[in-house]
Amino acid sequence: MSSLITEDEISHEAELVWLEDLDDLDYVRQSIDRLPTRKGRPAYHRDGRMVGYAILGPTAKPSRASGTFRRRVFWLLPHDRDTAPDGLYAKSAPAEAVDPCSLEARVKGYKTERSEGGPPSTAMQELGITLPL
């Protein structure tokens, strides 16, 4: 969860790779996953879809116990606001969600009015979708 992500855990990030247009997403979920490599697109094993991931720099060290790297992965579930605008998160966001526009390599990101159900994203505006405010 975003509140559990520490500065130390993301201190070796070199860049974030986005698989979707951030302007179309009011929020993304973020987590730290144990992955076998520093870079490259990781395998995705959750419901929903991966929308981005972190690439680590060469100074990142693997875990001594598992040999894996702790990397951030950004994702959405099928019931998130981008696909269910009138659903559970119409006026809020999940605990691990942050505004993707507030994210950068080595920056945790944060919730904003937009991510909490405020002004809609460009994609929602273009589709004529409005949130109940």
Side-chain angles (χ1 to χ4, degrees):
M1 293 187 182
S2 61
S3 60
L4 300 178
I5 292 176
T6 66
E7 298 292 333
D8 184 55
E9 288 178 306
I10 60 176
S11 65
H12 293 284
E13 289 181 344
E15 68 178 289
L16 300 181
V17 175
W18 295 105
L19 305 173
E20 296 187 23
D21 186 348
L22 299 184
D23 291 337
D24 295 340
L25 302 172
D26 295 332
Y27 64 80
V28 296
R29 295 170 185 255
Q30 68 176 342
S31 59
I32 300 283
D33 291 0
R34 291 191 177 276
L35 301 169
T37 62
R38 284 184 187 90
K39 53 187 173 179
R41 183 176 178 159
Y44 185 73
H45 303 290
R46 293 181 180 89
D47 286 343
R49 67 191 195 276
M50 179 172 47
V51 296
Y53 57 90
I55 292 177
L56 303 180
T59 59
K61 303 284 186 239
S63 162
R64 288 183 186 169
S66 66
T68 59
F69 296 89
R70 292 176 56 84
R71 289 171 53 193
R72 264 194 305 180
V73 175
F74 305 98
W75 45 285
L76 291 167
L77 292 175
H79 61 274
D80 280 324
R81 189 182 316 141
D82 68 306
T83 53
D86 296 323
L88 178 63
Y89 296 113
K91 292 185 178 181
S92 64
E96 67 273 17
V98 294
D99 186 332
C101 296
S102 70
L103 290 164
E104 295 178 28
R106 299 175 303 282
V107 174
K108 291 193 292 186
Y110 52 89
K111 290 188 185 301
T112 64
E113 183 179 8
R114 176 178 115 135
S115 68
E116 288 293 317
S121 67
T122 304
M124 290 177 69
Q125 291 174 18
E126 289 172 0
L127 292 171
I129 300 170
T130 57
L131 298 176
L133 297 175

